[in-house]
Amino acid sequence: MRGWIRGLLAAVLLLASAVASAERIKDIANFAGVRSNPVVGYGLVVGLDGSGDQTTQTPFTVQSIVNMLSNMGIALPPGVNLQLKNVAAVMVTATLPPFAQPGQAIDVTASSLGNAKSLKGGTLLMTPLKGADGNVYALAQGNLVISGAGAGGGGSKVTVNHLSAGRIPGGATVERAVPMPVGTDDSVSVELKDADFGTAQKVADAINRNLGEGLAAALDGRRIRVRAPAEPDRRVAFLGMIENLDVAPEQGMARVVVNSRTGSVVMNRAVQLQDCAVAHGNLTVTVTADNQVSQPGALSNGQTRNVQNAQIDIKQEPGNLIRVKAGANLAEVVKAINSVGANPLDMIAILQAMKAAGALRAELEVI
């Protein structure tokens, strides 16, 4: 009886772990053709409190003002030198979501193009946003929202957060829809975000198992072709069911990512270590400058001068040879690497040496 209970509990735990590791298809894949589109435009922000562009250094801001006033029927006399402080030239960026339709509001970001000190309190004038094909897809206008502050005086300056860029929630209106057909007449393509042959086959099997045999077929490590209804309403419902199917992806390839600028090291659970020995010693170079004054003797016609005496010390710390035991899971790998006792920046050099020696069984990526 107890053996039967133990077996049942083991089966329940195995099923729970399988469900916990499963992911929805919408989290690991996209439908071909369903994508966002970036748009960009050049505009002016007005109403700044003296923190705009310095027009002597940003002539394009003055030129934009002159062109705008000319389009509004205001002709400036020739030779007028505008000294604007409340205007800033900005680049406006936004992203059209999939299936965006005319009249839909989207968020935009305005970033200073010149040397404006702050865009806080400014208003973006009507700015057309163009796509890669040169067509206007949206119009942006509104008051900028900037979560920051700055103050200065007497040569001192304090700034909280970034003041040269801000957002306008719902600040652009879509004027043109982007054609976005989903699949051909009789099929759609499901594309994995990370190519993997095993995961592609699992996605195809999940679709066939839940929605009907023979509907899906994996074409390669990224694409799965699925036969879909031709009627728009039935196709939308069919794609919605596909998105919410659960699939347990295959374990990704072993990878260690190193950020050489910050010293960050991140590794996934597939990383393994082989037995190796590591010796690492730090080299410290210290330069000390001692400023002294050379005072000449009386009646020597000499001059008083500053003399700088520099002292350079080089210290090489001994590096003991440490054996790093093999590790087959992430916890063992972390324990083995920590046993070396190096700081994160030194760990980058150690990992590169381990990779070169064949002891690190993972792809080493430096970003």
Side-chain angles (χ1 to χ4, degrees):
M1 185 65 178
R2 290 182 179 178
W4 179 82
I5 294 177
R6 290 195 187 97
L8 179 61
L9 289 176
V12 171
L13 291 176
L14 182 62
L15 179 61
S17 62
V19 173
S21 62
E23 300 181 33
R24 296 175 303 176
I25 291 181
K26 67 168 62 177
D27 296 326
I28 62 174
N30 297 317
F31 291 109
V34 180
R35 49 163 292 180
S36 59
N37 292 275
V39 290
V40 65
Y42 170 82
L44 292 173
V45 172
V46 299
L48 302 176
D49 188 13
S51 60
D53 292 337
Q54 298 179 9
T55 53
T56 56
Q57 301 176 4
T58 55
F60 50 86
T61 304
V62 178
Q63 183 180 358
S64 302
I65 290 291
V66 172
N67 293 340
M68 181 190 68
L69 295 178
S70 177
N71 292 333
M72 294 183 174
I74 301 174
L76 295 177
V80 175
N81 186 16
L82 298 179
Q83 296 294 327
L84 305 173
K85 296 183 179 180
N86 300 334
V87 182
V90 295
M91 294 301 297
V92 184
T93 56
T95 301
L96 287 177
F99 309 110
Q101 297 299 315
Q104 180 178 342
I106 59 175
D107 298 343
V108 299
T109 301
S111 305
S112 175
L113 187 62
N115 53 10
K117 298 178 181 178
S118 173
L119 299 181
K120 193 174 184 65
T123 300
L124 175 68
L125 299 182
M126 183 180 295
T127 303
L129 303 180
K130 298 181 179 181
D133 56 1
N135 293 324
V136 176
Y137 286 92
L139 293 176
Q141 181 171 283
N143 298 323
L144 286 171
V145 177
I146 299 179
S147 58
S156 300
K157 181 180 178 182
V158 177
T159 302
V160 180
N161 293 337
H162 196 65
L163 303 177
S164 299
R167 289 181 62 82
I168 307 176
T173 303
V174 178
E175 299 293 336
R176 183 198 298 261
V178 179
M180 197 165 295
V182 182
T184 58
D185 293 337
D186 60 346
S187 66
V188 297
S189 180
V190 179
E191 297 182 350
L192 297 178
K193 297 177 182 179
D194 297 318
D196 187 279
F197 288 101
T199 303
Q201 187 58 52
K202 284 189 174 183
V203 170
D205 293 340
I207 295 174
N208 291 330
R209 182 171 59 254
N210 290 275
L211 302 179
E213 289 296 332
L215 290 179
L219 302 180
D220 50 37
R222 185 178 296 273
R223 297 177 301 158
I224 301 96
R225 185 179 58 196
V226 183
R227 289 192 291 111
E231 297 81 2
D233 56 343
R234 293 184 57 196
R235 173 165 290 197
V236 170
F238 181 76
L239 298 183
M241 289 186 289
I242 291 179
E243 282 186 328
N244 290 282
L245 293 178
D246 290 331
V247 174
E250 294 289 348
Q251 187 176 11
M253 64 182 301
R255 178 172 297 176
V256 177
V257 180
V258 173
N259 190 326
S260 58
R261 293 179 293 273
T262 62
S264 303
V265 179
V266 179
M267 61 187 70
N268 61 13
R269 62 179 181 176
V271 176
Q272 295 184 6
L273 282 181
Q274 301 297 319
D275 280 329
C276 62
V278 176
H280 186 78
N282 292 326
L283 179 65
T284 303
V285 179
T286 304
V287 179
T288 304
D290 184 15
N291 295 322
Q292 297 180 351
V293 178
S294 176
Q295 182 69 32
L299 304 178
S300 63
N301 295 326
Q303 297 180 356
T304 302
R305 294 183 179 181
N306 292 327
V307 179
Q308 186 180 63
N309 298 321
Q311 181 180 358
I312 302 177
D313 296 327
I314 300 178
K315 181 180 180 181
Q316 175 72 47
E317 295 182 2
N320 297 324
L321 194 63
I322 300 175
R323 179 187 176 186
V324 179
K325 296 182 180 180
N329 56 56
L330 183 58
E332 294 176 352
V333 172
V334 171
K335 183 178 179 180
I337 293 179
N338 286 336
S339 67
V340 180
N343 59 50
L345 293 178
D346 292 336
M347 190 59 64
I348 296 176
I350 294 175
L351 289 173
Q352 290 176 336
M354 285 183 173
K355 176 64 178 177
L360 178 63
R361 297 300 178 89
E363 291 293 327
L364 186 60
E365 179 180 354
V366 180
I367 60 175

